[in-house]
Amino acid sequence: MTDDSPQPPQTFRPNYLAVWGMFFRNSLIREMTFRSNFVIELVTRAFWFSAQLVLFDLIYRHVPTIQDWSREEYFAFMATGMLINALVEAFFMPNCANFSELIRTGDLDFALLKPIDTQFLISFEKVNFAMINQVLLALALLWYSISKTGIELSIGRVVTYLLLILVGVAFFYSLMIALASTSVWFGRNQGLYDFWFYITIFARYPQGFYKQSFGGEMLWFGFSFIIPILLVVTVPSRFLLRKALDPNWTVLVIAPISTLVMVLISRKIFQWSLSNYRSASS
């Protein structure tokens, strides 16, 4: 006697690692298809990197320190900021920038129909391999700076530093995807991306640089404890260099917690934007 009772439907669970691997491979093929554009972007990034080094090297020829940062220590800070920025631009910037285009063309409909988390699909579809060059240059500058300062690094300190780097990447990604989500209401939001660059430009300089006036103190507080752009870059470099944390050791906790809150908020904003999206067929 056969059992003709209906079987419960099987739940499909996508393999996110395999999907990301496919995205990675497709991006590499796309970059290698247009090799000349890839090489030009590599050269441009290397030139910008060199220009930054030359600028601050010239400055430090006239002063031994800026605030409490020596030349080699500031280069370590610079390398940390470049590393975080390069990872964000390599893995997230092309995708967040393309979100408004998906809405305009109606291609977001196809993303919503796929049996996978929409935010994952939109966030990881493309990889900018030209930024990998920036990652390698930042790591080389960091190695040079650490070797010149003579600081002894333990495994625990290096691991903590790398975790703080990931915290910085997560924070900037959250800020970026939250701004990208507003495309549902505003359509093309190039002005918002300009706003993102203007805001993140503050992270190019250590926290202490801003504490020189009342206005600077306001910027220091706002970008440290309200939108912790300064914390997520300054804290990893000061921790790695064994420099005193500003204002105290609690920033080691504040930065990850603030980032976690930002990740949750950006997730809610993204889901809210999708709930307000009107498909091309509607």
Side-chain angles (χ1 to χ4, degrees):
M1 184 176 179
T2 60
D3 184 8
D4 296 330
S5 59
Q7 299 295 322
Q10 294 183 348
T11 303
F12 175 76
R13 296 180 179 178
N15 187 331
Y16 285 89
L17 184 60
V19 172
W20 185 82
M22 180 186 66
F23 288 157
F24 188 89
R25 183 172 61 254
N26 291 343
S27 297
L28 181 60
I29 293 172
R30 184 166 50 246
E31 292 285 7
M32 293 301 100
T33 302
F34 304 98
R35 293 185 180 88
S36 58
N37 181 71
F38 177 69
V39 171
I40 291 173
E41 194 165 356
L42 287 179
V43 173
T44 302
R45 294 290 180 178
F47 175 79
W48 179 85
F49 179 86
S50 302
Q52 294 292 308
L53 288 182
V54 170
L55 172 63
F56 282 95
D57 183 63
L58 290 174
I59 293 174
Y60 273 103
R61 289 185 181 183
H62 299 281
V63 292
T65 60
I66 302 178
Q67 288 290 306
D68 61 337
W69 296 86
S70 67
R71 174 180 176 273
E72 288 74 21
E73 290 174 340
Y74 185 81
F75 281 169
F77 166 82
M78 184 187 295
T80 300
M82 288 180 174
L83 182 59
I84 294 174
N85 185 70
L87 291 172
V88 171
E89 290 198 33
F91 295 104
F92 302 117
M93 175 62 80
N95 302 296
C96 291
N98 191 51
F99 189 38
S100 62
E101 191 67 15
L102 293 177
I103 295 171
R104 187 185 68 82
T105 60
D107 289 341
L108 182 59
D109 293 3
F110 299 103
L112 293 172
L113 292 174
K114 291 181 170 59
I116 194 171
D117 183 79
T118 306
Q119 185 173 343
F120 173 87
L121 189 65
I122 289 173
S123 300
F124 291 96
E125 184 178 4
K126 298 178 181 177
V127 178
N128 183 0
F129 279 92
M131 293 307 301
I132 303 301
N133 180 48
Q134 194 81 357
V135 172
L136 297 177
L137 290 173
L139 290 174
L141 178 60
L142 184 63
W143 176 84
Y144 165 81
S145 303
I146 295 300
S147 63
K148 287 296 183 180
T149 57
I151 295 175
E152 294 184 4
L153 298 178
S154 64
I155 295 178
R157 188 166 291 271
V158 172
V159 170
T160 304
Y161 172 79
L162 293 177
L163 290 175
L164 290 171
I165 290 293
L166 293 179
V167 166
V169 172
F171 174 82
F172 283 114
Y173 162 72
S174 300
L175 181 61
M176 189 183 299
I177 195 68
L179 291 174
S181 299
T182 61
S183 300
V184 170
W185 296 282
F186 298 113
R188 288 183 178 273
N189 59 356
Q190 185 60 44
L192 290 174
Y193 285 110
D194 292 339
F195 170 77
W196 183 84
F197 278 111
Y198 295 147
I199 288 295
T200 54
I201 200 172
F202 287 103
R204 294 183 182 180
Y205 308 102
Q207 278 178 289
F209 281 28
Y210 297 96
K211 300 174 69 174
Q212 307 297 319
S213 63
F214 177 76
E217 290 276 359
M218 295 292 290
L219 287 174
W220 172 82
F221 181 82
F223 289 131
S224 294
F225 303 107
I226 298 177
I227 305 176
I229 291 174
L230 298 180
L231 282 188
V232 297
V233 178
T234 305
V235 169
S237 52
R238 292 191 74 93
F239 177 81
L240 186 68
L241 295 168
R242 298 180 180 271
K243 297 173 69 68
L245 297 176
D246 186 20
N248 52 56
W249 66 268
T250 58
V251 293
L252 277 175
V253 179
I254 293 174
I257 291 178
S258 300
T259 298
L260 178 60
V261 171
M262 188 63 189
V263 168
L264 296 176
I265 291 175
S266 65
R267 175 68 173 178
K268 290 295 183 182
I269 292 174
F270 182 83
Q271 292 175 332
W272 183 37
S273 69
L274 292 184
S275 68
N276 287 271
Y277 170 68
R278 298 293 177 263
S279 68
S281 59
S282 62

